[in-house]
Structures are given as C-alpha cells and as structure tokens.
Amino acid sequence: AQSVTQLGSHVSVSEGALVLLRCNYSSSVPPYLFWYVQYPNQGLQLLLKYTTGATLVKGINGFEAEFKKSETSFHLTKPSAHMSDAAEYFCAVSSFSGGSYIPTFGRGTSLIVHP
Amino acid sequence: DVKVTQSSRYLVKRTGEKVFLECVQDMDHENMFWYRQDPGLGLRLIYFSYDVKMKEKGDIPEGYSVSREKKERFSLILESASTNQTSMYLCASSLGGGRNSPLHFGNGTRLTVT
C-alpha cells in the first residue's frame, strides 16, 4: 500500500521568507505525486504534479517541488512567502486500484504567514 | 474549467436520519470520489466510482453508501446518521481510462449531526 507522510501539521513563516513543506512517500512502483492547496472554506485545488521526466516541477503561485527518489521525498518550496499563501497544503501519491488511479493523501500542513 | 458542484455547503441533521449528499460534475469525467476531511486526519476516501453504476469501497465505507446512476452525478448516502459522522465531505472527479489525472474538488459540505 502506498502512503504519504507530511512532517509538521503547522508551519509558520514570516512574509518574504522561504516556504518549505515536507512530504515523504512510500511506494512499490514509480510514484505519481501531487500537491494540493485548500484555502479556507473551499475545496482542494491542484498546485503541481509529478509523473515522469523532470524532477523539478513548477506549479502555480510560484511554488515548486523536487522529486528525490533516493530520499522518497517530494518537498514543496516557495522562495518568498506572501500573506495570500496562508492555507492548508496536502501531498498525495497515486496508486492504481479498482480500475483507476486513486490518490492517497497526507494529513496536511497548515501554512501560517506572519506579516 | 471543470466544475464540481456539491448541493449544500452546510447541513444539520438529527441522529438516525437518512442523509443524501449530492455531487455533480460538468466535464464528462469517468471517476468520482467522496472523501471525508477531519482536522489532523487529512482526507480519507469513503467510496469512489470509475463508471456509471460502478462503485468501490475506499478506506472508511462503514455507515455510508453511494449511488451513480448518471455519469455526472455521484451521491453519498448516510443510511442512519450518527454524531461521529459530523465532518466536512468533499466530492471530486477526474479523468479515467487509465489516465493518472489530478482530482477536481467541490467546495465541500459541512455536515453536523446532532
């Protein structure tokens, strides 16, 4: 079974500081990895995804993530935090089951941005 | 742009009531999902469907059932609501056919069972 671990349920940064949200996965096959963001009172929306090819993936709103197979990691970064980045972030790994790809989500990391 | 619409943002029901949560998507997606979101637990899969009239259990199907009579609509049913089913429920859809496409989510239904 595939699983995802997000280190830290809350991450607090100052506006303008580097954002680093950690995600480690376990998978017996080459993984398909995703980061989603959830703003208050909304559903989740896709930030970025890794399938195959380039290990550095760029997403929306200045976020990017690097797939490191040797570390089984897919950490999310942004060079400079903005107040509008405050949200819940979820890492997910996809596995094939019951005729389709089914994502398994981590428990989420709440990003807090201080002025 | 894909739109996934959940019929209610907030619902308050009494213990023992039968509850229907409705979800409609407008992009002809094969796959549809129901997740439950609780603080500290992330998203947990209740049921999913990869075709009309097809359904598969997820990680926490107990106390729930689903119905998919049309491709665009996926309903979650709580046969007899209990207080431990108070939660945020998220519906999602994605392309099927073996394609590993991302999920598109609705805005969620916050259900309170009293």
Side-chain angles (χ1 to χ4, degrees), chain B residues 19-50:
Chain B
V19 182
F20 293 86
L21 302 183
E22 306 288 347
C23 175
V24 177
Q25 52 95 2
D26 65 359
M27 281 300 289
D28 205 34
H29 282 176
E30 290 85 0
N31 298 336
M32 295 189 77
F33 306 81
W34 275 107
Y35 286 89
R36 172 176 171 160
Q37 182 179 14
D38 298 288
L41 297 179
L43 276 71
R44 292 181 291 168
L45 182 62
I46 305 172
Y47 269 96
F48 68 96
S49 168
Y50 57 88

Side-chain angles (χ1 to χ4, degrees), chain A:
Chain A
Q2 308 208 4
S3 66
V4 173
T5 301
Q6 291 184 240
L7 296 176
S9 58
H10 294 82
V11 169
S12 182
V13 300
S14 297
E15 192 172 19
L18 171 71
V19 175
L20 171 61
L21 304 182
R22 299 177 187 274
C23 172
N24 289 88
Y25 67 92
S26 68
S27 173
S28 58
V29 296
Y32 295 98
L33 296 158
F34 304 83
W35 275 100
Y36 291 84
V37 60
Q38 183 181 34
Y39 298 105
N41 298 316
Q42 294 185 25
L44 283 68
Q45 58 183 275
L46 181 70
L47 263 182
L48 49 80
K49 65 178 181 180
Y50 169 80
T51 53
T52 57
T55 56
L56 183 63
V57 181
K58 294 189 183 298
I60 61 172
N61 302 337
F63 284 92
E64 62 183 34
E66 186 172 11
F67 170 62
K68 291 188 177 180
K69 184 178 179 180
S70 61
E71 299 177 7
T72 61
S73 70
F74 191 55
H75 301 331
L76 182 70
T77 61
K78 182 174 180 177
S80 177
H82 192 273
M83 296 295 290
S84 61
D85 294 326
E88 189 92 16
Y89 291 81
F90 292 92
C91 183
V93 61
S94 229
S95 61
F96 196 77
S97 173
S100 194
Y101 281 97
I102 307 301
T104 298
F105 287 85
R107 295 191 173 196
T109 297
S110 179
L111 177 65
I112 302 160
V113 182
H114 297 286

Side-chain angles (χ1 to χ4, degrees), chain B:
Chain B
D1 217 12
V2 178
K3 189 162 185 179
V4 179
T5 303
Q6 295 184 231
S7 55
S8 303
R9 290 301 305 273
Y10 300 94
L11 272 180
V12 180
K13 298 291 181 181
R14 293 192 181 277
T15 302
E17 277 193 80
K18 190 169 186 176
V19 182
F20 293 86
L21 302 183
E22 306 288 347
C23 175
V24 177
Q25 52 95 2
D26 65 359
M27 281 300 289
D28 205 34
H29 282 176
E30 290 85 0
N31 298 336
M32 295 189 77
F33 306 81
W34 275 107
Y35 286 89
R36 172 176 171 160
Q37 182 179 14
D38 298 288
L41 297 179
L43 276 71
R44 292 181 291 168
L45 182 62
I46 305 172
Y47 269 96
F48 68 96
S49 168
Y50 57 88
D51 202 351
V52 175
K53 296 190 185 295
M54 303 301 290
K55 60 185 179 183
E56 294 284 342
K57 292 180 180 179
D59 300 318
I60 52 164
E62 295 79 18
Y64 303 95
S65 62
V66 291
S67 173
R68 194 170 182 197
E69 296 296 319
K70 294 185 177 182
K71 191 174 184 179
E72 66 270 19
R73 186 179 297 270
F74 193 36
S75 303
L76 180 68
I77 304 154
L78 287 66
E79 296 290 342
S80 178
S82 64
T83 55
N84 63 13
Q85 292 178 310
T86 291
S87 187
M88 171 70 88
Y89 290 88
L90 292 169
C91 176
S93 70
S94 70
L95 289 167
R99 289 162 288 185
N100 192 12
S101 70
L103 268 58
H104 298 264
F105 284 85
N107 283 335
T109 295
R110 187 168 295 281
L111 173 67
T112 302
V113 183
T114 61

